[in-house]
Amino acid sequence: MIQKWKNHAEAYLFVTPSVILTVTLGIYPILWALRYMFYDYKGYGEAKFAGLYNIKRLFRDDYLWDAIWNTFVFASGKMILTLPVALLLAVLLNGKLRGRNLLRGIYFMPTIFSTAVMAVVFYLIFNSYNGLLNQILNMIGLPAVEWLNMQNAMLTCIIIAAWGGIGNYMLLFLAGLQGIPKDVYESAELDGATGARRFWSITIPMLGPVLNIIMMLAIMSALESYEAIMVLTGGGPSGATEVMHLYLYKLLFPVSTGETMAQDIGYGSAVAMLLALIVGVITGLYLYLSRKLNDIYS
Amino acid sequence: MKKGLKRSLTLLAAVTLAFGIAGCAGGSNSGNTSTGNETGANNAAETKGNGEKTKLVYWTYQRHDAEYIKAKIDEFNSTNQDNIEVEMTMMAENYPQSLDLAFASDQAPDVFAAQRPNEFYAKGYFEPLNDYMTDDLKAKFEGFILEGGNQFDGNIISLPNVGNTIRLVYNVDMFEKAGLQPPKSLDEMVAAAKKITEIGKADGIYGWSLPYKSPSSALGRSAEKIAEMNGFHRSGFDFKTAKYDFTGWKPIIEAFRQMSADGSVLPGSEALDMDPMRAQFAEGKIGMYISYSTEPGVYNTQFPAKIRWDATLVPTIDGGEPQGAVDPAAITWLSMSSESKNKEAAWKFMTYMYQDEVLRGYHEAGLGISVLPHVLEGAKEPSVPGIKSFLPTKYDAAWPIAPSGVTPEGKTWHEEFVKYILVGGDLDQVISDLNASYNAALDKAVADGKVKVTADPSFDPKALQK
Amino acid sequence: MTRISGRILTWTFLLITAALLLLPIALAMLGSFKTNQELNAGSALLPKVWQLENYLYTWKEAKFSVYVWNSVIYSVGATITTVTVCSLAAYAVARRSFPGRKLLLGVYSAMMFIHMGVLTLKPAYQIMVTLGLHKSVLGLIIMMTGAGGTTFFILYAFIRSISKELDEAAMIDGASSFYIFSRIILPLCAPALGVVGLFAFRGAWNNYILPLVFTMSQPELQPITVGLANIRYGFGGAVQSHLMLTGACISMLPMLLMYILANKSFVQMNVGAIKG
């Protein structure tokens, strides 16, 4: 009995630092937002109880829902572009390949830069008027493309997000691939399995749990990223690339110096709650489905 | 290998620990300094000559004048008799946020460049200056104290220095080539943009541009000011009725839309920031745009213009006599923090900065256009090439203070109008929606007691002209 | 024959991807040697005159030597705290049974899903002010460590995938928990630790808003990201894109170094060790 509690105490000791951080930096902010979403609070003066005002406002805020829709477009685009390439790179670089360390380094390079800074560079590449990309297109006789206009800006943002994400996910996939014992491949090779077959019948199933986690991370980070968009287009032109967390950012930290955008902590809290709910439901749904699929296959 | 990893982790840990300790030591040091400040405040008078300096922190978000201000602060630091040392911090972006956080955490600067006056007044950041001001100073600034602008409930929170005039900046070479005069009316502006694009397009030259990436930056420097020139306040507020009314803006926004529809706008303008746009203008690729009196400085130092350029008054709707005036918005400059521990010293520094010579030098350096008669008296013309066309005329005059902090649910008029300018739509509908949402926000602010408005049926914008 | 064409295909794919990923970086580097006007006007690929003084100016006048130093402190500090705190918790939750374990797991997974975005910053800042940590290096490192749901779960999943035989045997031999954790579990986790550590380092290195808030009144404590924003607006009012690029290039070097370090650790890690 005493031994048991001693073991428990040990375990508690191990988790204490993490619990403290989680409570102060994870749970408390949620409670804080839970409180202020019912208040009329602009960041100064008195916070006045406002009942369901902020929550009702969520439903009539067309811009918010546009932003949420944009986020889905952005997130799916980013994942479709990023994950297959990252997985393929990881598989190729996990095999015996000359110069694979150098290549890994190269693919990882983009993730080193802060996205905010790189957006400046991407502007130089993509800007319609004299961007590098259009100069190249002109050189090979193709018409210039307005990369940052209403129709294309989202695509451009997705390309940039993929640029910053591929190295990341390649690394995660690699870490997962390292967990697959080499002899499984070796015996498959002896059996004459081709590369593609080995990929589908060994790599993917063996990656299983790691793949699940990586997918989940990818979904969440795609839904929550906004920094690069903020610097490149600021959500424009005219809201075409406004994603939901950028909208939240603008509500909480209106940066313009005039009074064109009002800080609104109360409504911001309600928006933050809604966004957390959306991301939570989507990832939960994903986990549920992937578990179902796993059950079917195994 | 395992050993290798462990070794490197241990090394990292050791290094961090060392840094960490050093860092913490640094932190407590600065804590000491601030306690030093407190004692300094109590004995500000006695510490003179004691060798103990009174340190003041001054924050500004303005960067274009940094060199001048820095020089003046250095001068103050070396000449003042009270052993005061001022340290200037230039804040990057997020200036208002930075102030919020500083005040929330006892790190507020002693003196700071005022922004968002009524919001910061409500937050209690300002030390009222009434009791510090000498009669002489009060007399000098008498006509420039505006309730709701730099004075709240009778408390003066800041004094003005300079304002920014607004002009239509144009490429003289292209206008000559096209045989055009700078536009006087909106129609002329649209036509000029079209003509220049016609003859210039082959060389990549377009008639018009604005940094539409940031709607408030783009229209804040242009459409807003054309509206004022035509007798509509830049906020959309109508002093006659004490309501918001954007109806009068229709021809202005229509003209901007027309230039987009004509293809007279530099491609990619919807994603442009101000500076890349200026770089294009300096290269000669833009026919005209509208901006502040900071432009000459920029083309003088940052982007040396490769073309001849000039500036002129912004157009009126019909090309006739302006029905209003453009507000250079010279309302606030320096403020004292209500939480400063060295208020006497802070005021000494402010007095120094507000003396005629310093303000005159500021004006003469072309860093802004002074609105103060006692400063302009005997001032030399600003030295920056091109500033001449920005010097105040009778059409550069102050407006009364409109209610501020009235923001509608949903998007601002800047964003709605830019959307219309870029893609078109039903402008009448946009305007009536804006009128509705802004007036709803106004009614709410009035009901909450945050804003007070009174209609002034006799208000005449034309009478604002000097 | 198929082998060779497969190889050609592989290499074409690898090289094209590499080129696409490197191009913007190359442009950033070239841009860092240009003048501001050259950069903004969008001229030729190569600088007309190589402006070496951009680097000199950035390093000395814009105080990048200080910023880099600060960034190193924060990033190394946050990496160590993140890895330590999360691996301790992950080990306990993965290997021990104790009352509240399920609850804890639930809370951690909830933390992973529920993100309040930038909203977190406001209440968290209040806490730090209350604790008096808002002006210290330590406070910043704690904030950067954060609640850490993802890191916890990567390590948790990894520890669960390690066979229990080893530590159970050690337990029977009477080894202490800490011994098992530090001598058996941690070394086996090395690949995961490498990845998690690298990510934590990068997260801290590229963090902008947080250090901006915490070091506002103390420029001498600002990291490189905040410093970069500072030089964005230099004297004269125009955005100094060229210097930003110079700063970005400088800021890349320590990260590259860190990557090479971490990469070595998990590339060389013998996967056989995991199987025991």
Side-chain angles (χ1 to χ4, degrees):
Chain A
M1 193 59 201
I2 291 169
Q3 181 57 35
K4 194 174 148 204
W5 277 106
K6 199 182 151 231
N7 281 343
H8 290 341
E10 257 176 16
Y12 288 135
L13 210 62
F14 273 79
V15 296
T16 304
S18 164
V19 167
I20 292 175
L21 282 176
T22 307
V23 169
T24 50
L25 301 179
I27 296 175
Y28 174 70
I30 297 175
L31 298 177
W32 193 85
L34 267 177
R35 171 170 179 254
Y36 278 110
M37 66 191 278
F38 297 107
Y39 281 80
D40 178 11
Y41 182 49
K42 307 285 184 223
Y44 60 93
E46 213 178 324
K48 268 196 307 194
F49 186 75
L52 294 178
Y53 179 83
N54 288 322
I55 295 167
K56 283 184 193 146
R57 186 175 159 191
L58 286 176
F59 293 97
R60 61 170 187 264
D61 186 352
D62 292 341
Y63 299 106
L64 174 63
W65 295 101
D66 284 351
I68 290 170
W69 169 250
N70 284 341
T71 311
F72 290 152
V73 175
F74 173 78
S76 4
K78 181 187 172 187
M79 286 171 59
I80 290 169
L81 211 57
T82 311
L83 293 179
V85 177
L87 182 58
L88 199 55
L89 285 176
V91 170
L92 291 175
L93 293 183
N94 194 41
K96 295 183 206 84
L97 199 74
R98 200 174 300 164
R100 67 173 187 183
N101 279 352
L102 179 69
L103 282 172
R104 277 184 197 178
I106 289 175
Y107 297 133
F108 186 70
M109 281 265 280
T111 67
I112 291 173
F113 282 91
S114 115
T115 39
V117 172
M118 278 317 283
V120 177
V121 179
F122 276 108
Y123 177 75
L124 301 175
I125 297 176
F126 283 109
N127 85 66
S128 324
Y129 181 66
N130 58 5
L132 205 84
L133 193 56
N134 277 347
Q135 285 180 21
I136 292 171
L137 287 178
N138 278 334
M139 242 186 305
I140 54 176
L142 291 170
V145 177
E146 293 228 17
W147 292 102
L148 295 172
N149 71 2
M150 300 269 294
Q151 287 77 39
N152 297 329
M154 181 55 95
L155 179 71
T156 307
C157 287
I158 289 171
I159 292 173
I160 292 166
W163 178 85
I166 284 176
N168 228 347
Y169 291 105
M170 176 202 72
L171 212 62
L172 285 173
F173 282 130
L174 262 178
L177 287 172
Q178 312 236 320
I180 300 175
K182 288 270 185 299
D183 42 5
V184 181
Y185 281 110
E186 276 155 21
S187 59
E189 205 158 348
L190 285 180
D191 292 345
T194 61
R197 214 183 131 63
R198 263 179 287 158
F199 177 77
W200 288 113
S201 57
I202 302 175
T203 311
I204 294 291
M206 293 287 275
L207 264 180
V210 181
L211 191 68
N212 264 351
I213 290 191
I214 295 177
M215 279 294 288
M216 216 175 64
L217 283 180
I219 293 174
M220 291 197 318
S221 83
L223 289 175
E224 288 172 355
S225 68
Y226 63 90
E227 255 199 338
I229 296 182
M230 183 165 98
V231 180
L232 189 74
T233 65
S238 183
T241 56
E242 186 102 288
V243 288
M244 59 191 195
H245 272 269
L246 179 58
Y247 186 77
L248 174 65
Y249 182 89
K250 286 180 176 173
L251 274 176
L252 295 173
F253 297 90
V255 281
S256 56
T257 50
E259 56 226 30
T260 52
M261 212 133 28
Q263 187 180 38
D264 197 329
I265 306 266
Y267 184 55
S269 299
V271 170
M273 276 295 159
L274 178 71
L275 301 193
L277 196 71
I278 290 173
V279 177
V281 165
I282 290 174
T283 36
L285 207 65
Y286 167 76
L287 275 190
Y288 175 77
L289 287 177
S290 67
R291 203 163 290 167
K292 272 268 144 98
L293 283 177
N294 275 351
D295 289 348
I296 293 167
Y297 281 110
S298 55
Chain B
M1 181 48 232
K2 272 177 238 164
K3 247 187 218 157
L5 179 82
K6 212 168 78 194
R7 215 183 304 136
S8 47
L9 272 181
T10 323
L11 188 74
L12 280 181
V15 171
T16 326
L17 223 69
F19 283 155
I21 290 162
C24 292
S28 54
N29 268 352
S30 54
N32 286 343
T33 331
S34 71
T35 28
N37 274 354
E38 269 170 69
T39 43
N42 298 338
N43 321 312
E46 290 96 311
T47 48
K48 206 197 294 185
N50 260 355
E52 197 184 346
K53 290 207 180 264
T54 308
K55 288 206 172 164
L56 293 179
V57 176
Y58 164 54
W59 277 15
T60 175
Y61 61 93
Q62 280 171 331
R63 313 215 139 222
H64 71 285
D65 61 6
E67 239 161 305
Y68 179 77
I69 297 294
K70 188 98 193 46
K72 287 297 155 194
I73 288 179
D74 287 346
E75 202 182 298
F76 175 76
N77 285 343
S78 58
T79 57
N80 83 79
Q81 300 297 306
D82 305 286
N83 229 350
I84 301 169
E85 189 176 306
V86 179
E87 186 190 295
M88 173 169 79
T89 309
M90 274 193 296
M91 305 308 291
E93 286 152 275
N94 301 320
Y95 179 71
Q97 263 65 50
S98 303
L99 273 176
D100 279 344
L101 290 159
F103 274 93
S105 61
D106 203 17
Q107 303 180 70
D110 300 284
V111 179
F112 59 99
Q115 240 185 26
R116 302 190 176 180
N118 68 331
E119 179 185 325
F120 285 170
Y121 177 74
K123 291 179 180 177
Y125 294 174
F126 297 116
E127 173 78 7
L129 302 177
N130 307 43
D131 296 342
Y132 296 89
M133 288 172 73
T134 57
D135 291 339
D136 177 43
L137 206 60
K138 274 182 183 154
K140 277 179 175 170
F141 285 92
E142 202 186 358
F144 295 89
I145 307 295
L146 295 163
E147 179 71 27
N150 49 22
Q151 173 184 283
F152 296 89
D153 308 326
N155 298 310
I156 299 168
I157 55 103
S158 185
L159 300 169
N161 172 16
V162 294
N164 269 306
T165 52
I166 293 283
R167 296 291 182 267
L168 183 135
V169 181
Y170 64 100
N171 178 334
V172 175
D173 292 340
M174 280 316 285
F175 269 75
E176 278 179 6
K177 206 169 157 193
L180 292 167
Q181 290 298 313
K184 292 251 183 301
S185 69
L186 289 176
D187 287 344
E188 278 175 37
M189 181 174 84
V190 174
K194 199 170 177 183
K195 183 86 187 287
I196 289 172
T197 310
E198 263 164 32
I199 61 170
K201 203 170 179 178
D203 303 318
I205 298 167
Y206 291 81
W208 176 260
S209 186
L210 274 177
Y212 286 126
K213 176 183 170 185
S214 162
S216 60
S217 160
L219 299 190
R221 66 182 74 232
S222 59
E224 235 180 72
K225 312 303 174 184
I226 299 180
E228 286 198 338
M229 194 69 149
N230 289 287
F232 312 106
H233 188 255
R234 60 181 177 278
S235 65
F237 186 76
D238 185 348
F239 290 96
K240 279 182 208 152
T241 58
K243 288 271 168 211
Y244 281 89
D245 187 1
F246 291 94
T247 316
W249 294 46
K250 193 179 170 192
I252 303 166
I253 304 302
E254 286 283 0
F256 280 43
R257 167 68 197 144
Q258 193 56 45
M259 288 191 283
S260 290
D262 288 345
S264 314
V265 180
L266 183 81
S269 290
E270 66 270 33
L272 269 182
D273 278 319
M274 192 58 207
D275 281 311
M277 200 202 97
R278 285 170 171 152
Q280 292 305 330
F281 183 79
E283 294 285 323
K285 303 295 187 190
I286 297 171
M288 63 185 155
Y289 68 99
I290 297 174
S291 193
Y292 301 102
S293 47
T294 43
E295 303 306 285
V298 172
Y299 292 123
N300 200 33
T301 55
Q302 282 296 310
F303 304 114
K306 295 177 179 165
I307 41 126
R308 285 181 302 140
W309 64 274
D310 203 352
T312 182
L313 288 174
V314 297
T316 56
I317 290 173
D318 56 3
E321 175 69 11
Q323 296 303 307
V326 184
D327 193 343
I331 298 165
T332 57
W333 190 36
L334 304 182
S335 288
M336 194 195 301
S337 154
S338 58
E339 290 183 9
S340 170
K341 296 178 178 89
N342 298 301
K343 285 177 182 150
E344 288 301 327
W347 179 247
K348 278 186 181 132
F349 170 59
M350 286 175 72
T351 315
Y352 172 85
M353 294 302 277
Y354 273 111
Q355 60 180 316
D356 301 355
E357 293 75 44
V358 175
L359 296 187
R360 196 170 292 139
Y362 195 99
H363 174 83
E364 285 171 352
L367 300 167
I369 307 288
S370 182
V371 293
L372 305 164
H374 72 271
V375 170
L376 288 170
E377 202 180 290
K380 288 197 284 286
E381 203 160 83
S383 52
V384 183
I387 194 88
K388 233 177 186 163
S389 314
F390 284 90
L391 292 178
T393 64
K394 65 185 260 206
Y395 306 117
D396 297 288
W399 282 66
I401 302 291
S404 62
V406 177
T407 31
E409 280 184 14
K411 302 234 158 160
T412 60
W413 65 260
H414 297 100
E415 300 194 49
E416 291 290 6
F417 281 152
V418 163
K419 185 169 188 182
Y420 173 79
I421 291 165
L422 293 179
V423 296
D426 183 351
L427 186 55
D428 289 320
Q429 188 61 45
V430 171
I431 287 177
S432 77
D433 286 352
L434 283 173
N435 287 345
S437 70
Y438 271 81
N439 282 321
L442 177 67
D443 292 344
K444 188 165 184 287
V446 170
D448 290 351
K450 285 178 181 159
V451 167
K452 280 185 223 91
V453 289
T454 35
D456 174 11
S458 65
F459 176 76
D460 175 17
K462 208 171 175 197
L464 297 171
Q465 297 173 2
K466 281 185 278 195
Chain C
M1 197 54 220
T2 47
R3 233 202 154 99
I4 293 174
S5 62
R7 183 158 285 189
I8 292 174
L9 210 67
T10 306
W11 275 101
T12 323
F13 173 72
L14 286 176
L15 291 179
I16 287 180
T17 326
L20 287 179
L21 292 182
L22 281 185
L23 180 76
I25 298 172
L27 283 175
M29 286 178 171
L30 290 173
S32 71
F33 290 102
K34 291 180 178 173
T35 62
N36 201 16
Q37 184 158 26
E38 230 179 322
L39 198 64
N40 272 302
S43 52
L45 201 57
L46 294 176
K48 269 180 223 138
V49 181
W50 291 72
Q51 306 283 333
L52 287 173
E53 57 266 37
N54 285 358
Y55 278 84
L56 219 66
Y57 179 89
T58 313
W59 188 255
K60 280 200 189 137
E61 300 291 315
K63 289 191 270 184
F64 258 58
S65 42
V66 179
Y67 298 142
V68 169
W69 195 239
N70 290 336
S71 274
V72 168
I73 296 171
Y74 298 137
S75 307
V76 172
T79 308
I80 291 178
T81 46
T82 307
V83 170
T84 314
V85 169
C86 289
S87 60
L88 280 170
Y91 164 70
V93 177
R95 281 293 201 254
R96 296 309 188 85
S97 66
F98 52 91
R101 178 179 167 275
K102 278 263 158 66
L103 175 74
L104 211 55
L105 210 52
V107 169
Y108 282 136
S109 18
M111 283 301 105
M112 200 151 96
F113 296 132
I114 306 174
H115 285 180
M116 308 303 291
V118 284
L119 186 100
T120 311
L121 228 55
K122 297 214 172 247
Y125 188 75
Q126 286 176 355
I127 290 187
M128 287 297 155
V129 172
T130 316
L131 295 176
L133 286 174
H134 58 285
K135 286 192 224 174
S136 76
V137 175
L138 193 65
L140 198 57
I141 290 176
I142 291 174
M143 284 293 295
M144 284 181 172
T145 306
T150 351
T151 313
F152 169 85
F153 271 99
I154 291 178
L155 293 174
Y156 173 75
F158 219 89
I159 295 175
R160 296 251 299 183
S161 74
I162 300 172
S163 149
K164 271 192 179 170
E165 288 159 29
L166 266 183
D167 44 318
E168 270 167 8
M171 190 106 80
I172 291 164
D173 288 349
S176 74
S177 300
F178 190 74
Y179 181 89
I180 296 172
F181 171 70
S182 61
R183 293 300 165 85
I184 299 175
I185 300 293
L186 272 194
L188 290 178
C189 281
L193 290 180
V195 173
V196 165
L198 186 62
F199 283 19
F201 189 89
R202 190 190 52 200
W205 188 265
N206 284 340
N207 207 332
Y208 169 64
I209 299 279
L210 220 167
L212 172 76
V213 167
F214 274 66
T215 60
M216 275 175 335
S217 62
Q218 285 151 301
E220 71 278 7
L221 289 183
Q222 281 169 351
I224 198 159
T225 40
V226 180
L228 265 175
N230 282 349
I231 53 168
R232 192 169 165 197
Y233 298 105
F235 298 123
V239 173
Q240 306 205 311
S241 314
H242 59 315
L243 296 183
M244 271 189 94
L245 295 184
T246 313
C249 290
I250 295 176
S251 79
M252 189 190 67
L253 291 176
M255 263 311 296
L256 211 55
L257 206 73
M258 185 65 199
Y259 169 74
I260 291 166
L261 253 167
N263 189 43
K264 231 178 174 173
S265 88
F266 61 86
V267 167
Q268 291 180 358
M269 196 65 211
N270 187 351
V271 179
I274 291 178
K275 285 168 65 206

